[in-house]
Amino acid sequence: MLALRVARIFDGRSLNRDAGVVFVEGDRIVGVESSGYDIPSGCEILDRPDGTLLPGLIDAHVHLVGDSGPGALERLPGFSPDDLSRTIEQSLRVQLATGVTTVRDLGDKAWSVVDWRARPHAGLPTVLASGPPITSRGGHCSTMGGEVSGVDELRAAVRERAERGADIVKIMASGGMTTPGTAVDQGQFTAQELAAAVAEAHTVGLPVTAHAHALVSIRDAIAAGVDGIEHCTFLTADSVYVPDDAIAALAAQGIVVCPTIGRAPDAVPPPHLLERLLKAGMDLESRARQVAQAHRAGVTIISGTDGGINPGKPHGILPRAIADLVTGGMAPADALASATSTAADACGLGDRKGHVRVGHDADLIVVDGDPLSDISALLRLDSTILAGEVLTSHSG
């Protein structure tokens, strides 16, 4: 048995001030006790007197096939199956090194992530996967292979994802900022097409999350009854406009928003993307404030990074994305929950991940300091425990 003794425990929702020792046996949490609890002899002890223990982090929006280089997704047609497998594993190792123990992959090439995870892999994060995102002909991320046209093809694509074992359907409701020739402020599918895709997905037991930068696509996705919206930027032709009724509908329908904020330090967006952001009057701070305001209005926010798509969005920046939420005005506990308990619930894993709770998976991290008073403590990762195994530990 392993005993983790720390100064404080964030249980996925709040600071558990009465607890200071977590017991792990095998790959499960078997006890959460007070800081003065008498640890039985024979236990292996990881003692961190100024550490905070948290659930392992969940990055709810990644692209594991992306190598974080310039034009990472546009270069995918040149990748061999072996190239894709190597990139997936390297991406996961980078994620794990920053405390991420679960990822939700929302777009691969040719089913590479779905097929990869069907093979045994030890010592890497848990992977949820969508397969290739469903997109229009020549649409955003069409290089991944998910192009469709019309309701019949949409329904068939959804059924294919269910048959191949995908966990979620990802659909590109609007154009994207990284695909030349697509209109980021316009829709790629009609409201009726989105509704047909959602109905088919729910029939086969899959949730749907929609990539939507455009205000019109956000409205159509809400009307279609999607389960989640990625980015949710509220772009119009020349600005950002966040209508109160759209925010109220997101909250009322329980649609989960993954805003994919967070960038590498000192990262400069590609010129075309920078031009689009400046045209809309959007910068990182205003975007973070927008997300925090939506959260205060009752919208469920989870954290994801879009990791892997370019140098500004490399794998492993989730701690910075969480910190950006705090900068925007979100309470530290809520920001931490967005990458632990709330993310686990949204990804369908709330019964075993995202909480420090007896019976849950022993995916845990220890950071140096108190992230509730100093969110930058997330960048001071001390130890990572994955499925009960201490993978990284720096003795103090």
Side-chain angles (χ1 to χ4, degrees):
M1 190 180 296
L2 170 66
L4 307 167
R5 185 162 55 195
V6 293
R8 58 197 75 83
I9 294 173
F10 177 78
D11 63 12
R13 294 290 181 191
S14 60
L15 196 66
N16 187 339
R17 299 186 181 279
D18 297 325
V21 182
V22 172
F23 290 96
V24 171
E25 190 167 23
D27 61 359
R28 293 286 186 271
I29 298 171
V30 295
V32 181
E33 305 292 349
S34 67
S35 56
Y37 190 83
D38 188 15
I39 297 175
S41 61
C43 278
E44 177 187 356
I45 300 176
L46 183 68
D47 203 349
R48 293 294 181 264
D50 192 36
T52 301
L53 183 143
L54 307 90
L57 302 179
I58 299 171
D59 191 331
H61 188 137
V62 303
H63 296 282
L64 295 175
V65 294
D67 63 8
S68 304
L73 302 186
E74 285 66 48
R75 290 186 286 105
L76 288 176
F79 280 36
S80 70
D82 286 345
D83 292 335
L84 291 169
S85 291
R86 282 192 295 270
T87 303
I88 290 165
E89 293 186 18
Q90 176 59 22
S91 300
L92 286 168
R93 284 191 286 269
V94 173
Q95 291 279 358
L96 187 60
T98 60
V100 173
T101 57
T102 299
V103 301
R104 186 174 66 167
D105 187 275
L106 291 183
D108 67 16
K109 165 69 174 175
W111 302 96
S112 52
V113 173
V114 174
D115 292 343
W116 175 89
R117 68 173 191 167
R119 304 187 291 271
H121 299 279
L124 291 172
T126 297
V127 177
L128 302 178
S130 72
I134 298 174
T135 192
S136 58
R137 300 286 179 196
H140 182 45
C141 289
S142 57
T143 55
M144 292 178 169
E147 294 172 285
V148 299
S149 179
V151 167
D152 289 344
E153 289 187 10
L154 271 167
R155 289 175 172 152
V158 169
R159 291 193 299 272
E160 182 182 15
R161 278 143 186 79
E163 291 162 2
R164 284 181 171 264
D167 300 290
I168 188 169
V169 172
K170 167 80 173 298
I171 187 165
M172 300 303 201
S174 78
M177 295 188 180
T178 59
T179 302
T182 68
V184 70
D185 56 359
Q186 296 178 23
Q188 294 196 153
F189 295 101
T190 67
Q192 292 75 20
E193 287 172 330
L194 288 176
V198 171
E200 190 72 27
H202 289 175
T203 296
V204 297
L206 289 180
V208 178
T209 193
H211 159 108
H213 285 293
L215 172 58
V216 62
S217 297
I218 293 169
R219 287 196 181 280
D220 287 347
I222 292 170
V226 298
D227 303 280
I229 295 180
E230 308 301 307
H231 315 301
C232 205
T233 321
F234 293 98
L235 287 179
T236 65
D238 56 7
S239 66
V240 174
Y241 174 56
V242 185
D244 290 343
D245 67 309
I247 292 294
L250 289 169
Q253 293 179 216
I255 296 173
V256 176
V257 170
C258 183
T260 63
I261 65 174
R263 297 190 65 81
D266 303 320
V268 177
H272 71 282
L273 178 54
L274 182 60
E275 180 183 359
R276 187 66 183 82
L277 294 174
L278 290 175
K279 180 181 178 181
M282 184 188 305
D283 57 25
L284 180 61
E285 290 187 6
S286 63
R287 173 68 171 141
R289 288 195 298 270
Q290 178 196 79
V291 173
Q293 288 167 0
H295 169 70
R296 286 193 292 272
V299 178
T300 300
I301 302 294
I302 61 175
S303 284
T305 62
D306 226 354
I309 65 170
N310 59 40
K313 287 283 195 177
H315 294 289
I317 59 169
L318 186 61
R320 296 185 182 278
I322 298 167
D324 286 341
L325 291 176
V326 176
T327 299
M330 190 179 290
D334 293 337
L336 290 170
S338 78
T340 54
S341 60
T342 306
D345 292 343
C347 293
L349 299 174
D351 60 340
R352 63 187 184 93
K353 294 185 184 293
H355 304 261
V356 181
R357 184 179 294 169
V358 173
H360 277 228
D361 292 354
D363 290 348
L364 304 163
I365 60 172
V366 179
V367 300
D368 182 19
D370 179 3
L372 291 174
S373 60
D374 175 15
I375 198 65
S376 69
L378 283 182
L379 298 172
R380 301 191 293 274
L381 180 65
D382 178 280
S383 303
T384 301
I385 299 90
L386 183 71
E389 181 181 356
V390 180
L391 299 181
T392 58
S393 178
H394 309 288
S395 58

